[in-house]
Amino acid sequence: MTKLLRSLLQSKHRCHSSTSPLFTLINPANATPHSHYHAPTPDDLSHALELSSASQKQWSKSSPTQRSTILRRAADILSQNVQHVSRLETMDTGRPIRETEFDVLEGIECLHYYSGQILQSHDLLYNHPTGQAYVKRVPMGTTCGIGAWNYPFQGVLWKGVASVVYGNSMMYKPSEFTPSTALWMEECLVEAGLPEGVFQVVLGGGETAQHLIHSPKISKVSFTGSVSTGLRVYQQAAASMKKVTMELGGKSPLIIFNDAHLDNAVCGAMMANWYSSGQVCSNGTRVFVQEDVMDEFVQRLLERTKKLRIGDPMDTETDIGPMVHKLQYDKVLDYIHIGMKEDRATLLYGGKRPNNLPSHIQNGYNLQPAIFTNCTDEMTIAKEEIFGMVMSILSFKSEQEVIERANNTEFGLAAGVFTQDIQRGQRVIDSLDAGAAWINNYNLAPIYLPWGGCKLSGIGRENGVASVEEWTQWKSVYCEMGDVDCPYPK
Ligand code: NAD
């Protein structure tokens, strides 16, 4: 595995300058460094941007069927490498292999989805009395994608594939902590027939990203990450009128009414908090439970949570892997300590390092899920994005009350409702500030549904019908068939 990764990290496109910043990849399961790479120099980046821009001009002339065929070939190559890619992803992120395999399967769906999307016409034709007018969807040009570390493979597909299929080129900068599957995908696309330079992965951290954002060659920036970085990137991109998509953080509400199917609601709350060790932007970390089912809900949740198998993420039996890195591990522990000091909050379960880890992962960044009961809206743990397994349970009495409280946040990424009254489910979801919402489930994101948030959670959408809007621009053309109707004297 590391041999393959080393060859990806050192392939011909990579920078080998020993003067640029050095990054070390650490396996979060055992806190052991396994690879190193250098960020590109400004010169490397300028060359890569030149190549991106030149190849885009050619690529934009390719036919929809050519593009569709390449994506289908890439889907075939990916299908033959599911194990391999998911192991790379698990080694970078620490997410259980069951989860990363699921992401790779969804990646195959994504490639098939866009291979079909590009065959549909998005152009419009108008007949005018003396001519014809048409409105074309044309590419944005050279685009850039900047990814987060929690779902690196999903990020590279949702941004990279969507961008290139509409005739753009893309410079993709994965998170410095988790670049491996993006590098693999770059090779896969070239093997499938994508011309060299159309999709390029550039390594590094904020500095590399800044170079891309400020480059006049870049016409669109698609960013996934924290609100604080996102706000800066948005302002910088605006300075040169670049189009943006911002996929940022959240503190989403999950509302459980007293008529909910309680076992399903418990499943939903677990999926909304424990999946990927809680490192999911859309997680429903504010769990509002109607007061008359609170005790029953908490008891069932506790029983199920105690059964979770925390362990080696490469083991298919593992439910919960480590946090991605030490910084995130420390940050989540800090929040747990803050929660324990909050006025009335009760740490019902977890929040510690598990003491029964197998010896080969003793040094991993593992934590038990933490359940806090008796939470109130103003508590820090109920207000701020933690990005770890910290569930805040809040009690509510009425529908109107819970809607107001759920919306009382600066975020607006996702929301969920559990109720058997489907009218109430839809009514409540309609009233919540969220770009993605679920009734009687949580955190499903099939490729055909647009993804993104409102308020501080972001702007723009990825996937589904939204992708054409995000990755192309309109060009209007009027073609005169008669003489020019000119009011001026001859
Ligand atoms: P981050 O903001 O620290 O980093 C994100 C990316 O920005 C990385 O590639 C990083 O190298 C780059 N970056 C760092 N400094 C930069 C700068 N000054 N200019 C430009 N780019 C810079 O976020 P993270 O810790 O990698 O990811 C976690 C965050 O991402 C969470 O807040 C989470 O909610 C969010 N997220 C959102 C979505 C979504 O779809 N809305 C999906 C996944 C993650």
Side-chain angles (χ1 to χ4, degrees):
M1 180 63 58
T2 42
K3 211 163 130 201
L4 166 98
L5 187 54
R6 222 169 291 132
S7 87
L8 285 174
L9 288 166
Q10 292 169 0
S11 71
K12 61 183 183 305
H13 308 299
R14 309 290 151 233
C15 164
H16 299 128
S17 162
S18 53
T19 55
S20 61
L22 178 72
F23 291 87
T24 301
L25 293 181
I26 294 174
N27 182 351
N30 55 20
T32 309
H34 62 78
S35 316
H36 306 275
Y37 64 90
H38 280 280
T41 61
D43 269 357
D44 294 324
L45 286 171
S46 298
H47 288 137
L49 277 158
E50 289 290 342
L51 174 64
S52 190
S53 167
S55 55
Q56 191 271 330
K57 291 187 175 59
Q58 287 305 313
W59 173 242
S60 63
K61 297 187 184 113
S62 61
S63 71
T65 42
Q66 280 170 319
R67 295 182 205 167
S68 176
T69 307
I70 291 171
L71 293 199
R72 274 186 282 113
R73 271 196 225 122
D76 290 344
I77 298 170
L78 186 52
S79 310
Q80 289 152 21
N81 287 278
V82 175
Q83 288 289 318
H84 182 66
V85 178
S86 49
R87 284 176 70 81
L88 272 181
E89 184 89 329
T90 290
M91 197 163 75
D92 271 3
T93 61
R95 291 179 47 223
I97 193 82
R98 272 196 334 237
E99 291 189 16
T100 55
E101 262 183 35
F102 180 77
D103 288 1
V104 177
L105 297 177
E106 288 218 314
I108 297 167
E109 266 190 48
C110 171
L111 287 159
H112 281 298
Y113 176 80
Y114 283 113
S115 75
Q117 262 299 75
I118 194 59
L119 297 176
Q120 292 171 26
S121 173
H122 301 281
D123 302 340
L124 302 168
L125 175 74
Y126 299 94
N127 286 315
H128 195 75
T130 60
Q132 279 188 336
Y134 49 92
V135 191
K136 302 198 320 176
R137 286 283 187 183
V138 297
M140 298 295 306
T142 302
T143 65
C144 105
I146 301 168
W149 45 254
N150 60 334
Y151 278 68
F153 191 60
Q154 186 187 72
V156 74
L157 285 153
W158 284 13
K159 295 187 194 304
V161 171
S163 173
V164 301
V165 81
Y166 291 114
N168 303 296
S169 61
M170 166 158 277
M171 306 278 292
Y172 187 75
K173 196 210 78 64
S175 164
E176 55 272 43
F177 300 106
T178 56
S180 307
T181 49
L183 292 168
W184 188 91
M185 200 59 213
E186 182 186 34
E187 302 235 321
C188 168
L189 287 168
V190 171
E191 192 183 330
L194 192 73
E196 197 111 351
V198 174
F199 177 77
Q200 295 180 73
V201 174
V202 285
L203 299 175
E207 251 177 81
T208 305
Q210 283 288 312
H211 190 105
L212 299 177
I213 294 159
H214 286 106
S215 167
K217 290 211 175 319
I218 296 286
S219 54
K220 148 117 197 190
V221 177
S222 176
F223 176 86
T224 297
S226 59
V227 171
S228 58
T229 317
L231 282 171
R232 250 181 298 153
V233 171
Y234 190 12
Q235 284 172 358
Q236 291 165 339
S240 51
M241 211 58 87
K242 291 177 168 70
K243 187 167 173 169
V244 296
T245 308
M246 291 281 146
E247 301 288 0
L248 310 177
K251 187 78 188 178
S252 301
L254 169 59
I255 301 171
I256 295 161
F257 282 99
N258 57 9
D259 67 337
H261 183 298
L262 221 49
D263 283 333
N264 278 337
V266 168
C267 285
M270 291 175 74
M271 295 296 289
N273 282 271
W274 310 151
Y275 202 75
S276 306
S277 293
Q279 303 163 126
V280 184
C281 51
S282 50
N283 268 358
T285 45
R286 289 184 293 145
V287 180
F288 290 94
V289 183
Q290 204 155 18
E291 57 183 4
D292 37 346
V293 289
M294 176 64 89
D295 291 347
E296 186 62 26
F297 171 82
V298 168
Q299 190 206 320
R300 292 192 204 184
L301 172 75
L302 186 60
E303 269 170 30
R304 298 271 310 264
T305 300
K306 282 181 177 169
K307 290 183 188 157
L308 291 172
R309 293 158 298 192
I310 303 176
D312 181 348
M314 288 293 179
D315 183 342
T316 52
E317 298 295 306
T318 293
D319 298 310
I320 308 281
M323 310 297 301
V324 70
H325 51 47
K326 175 90 168 56
L327 280 174
Q328 192 62 18
Y329 172 88
D330 288 342
K331 181 182 152 194
V332 175
L333 260 183
D334 281 351
Y335 270 109
I336 291 166
H337 292 142
I338 290 171
M340 288 162 76
K341 287 190 205 132
E342 306 257 24
D343 231 6
R344 283 176 41 221
T346 310
L347 178 61
L348 180 71
Y349 178 76
K352 300 190 190 79
R353 228 185 124 63
N355 51 18
N356 53 351
L357 291 172
S359 59
H360 70 290
I361 55 162
Q362 275 297 325
N363 297 328
Y365 306 126
N366 293 88
L367 273 178
Q368 294 168 329
I371 304 174
F372 280 96
T373 52
N374 296 324
C375 294
T376 52
D377 300 350
E378 64 284 353
M379 288 176 180
T380 305
I381 54 166
K383 279 198 307 204
E384 295 182 11
E385 183 186 49
I386 299 174
F387 224 50
M389 293 177 289
V390 182
M391 184 193 292
S392 298
I393 301 184
L394 307 111
S395 164
F396 74 94
K397 286 187 170 54
S398 74
E399 181 179 319
Q400 199 47 42
E401 168 211 339
V402 78
I403 290 170
E404 277 165 29
R405 289 172 58 196
N407 281 338
N408 188 17
T409 164
E410 58 192 353
F411 300 109
L413 185 54
V417 174
F418 275 82
T419 173
Q420 294 196 59
D421 177 348
I422 198 65
Q423 286 164 321
R424 170 157 68 184
Q426 295 194 359
R427 190 168 65 231
V428 171
I429 284 297
D430 282 352
S431 312
L432 296 176
D433 304 334
W438 299 273
I439 300 171
N440 293 328
N441 210 328
Y442 206 89
N443 263 347
L444 305 180
I447 190 70
Y448 48 82
L449 293 182
W451 180 263
C454 54
K455 294 156 90 175
L456 278 187
S457 294
I459 183 164
R461 295 289 180 270
E462 289 181 319
N463 304 341
V465 287
S467 57
V468 66
E469 182 62 45
E470 296 288 332
W471 293 104
T472 63
Q473 52 196 329
W474 289 115
K475 177 175 269 186
S476 302
V477 181
Y478 179 83
C479 176
E480 181 60 62
M481 307 299 278
D483 294 326
V484 176
D485 182 10
C486 175
Y488 302 130
K490 278 199 176 155

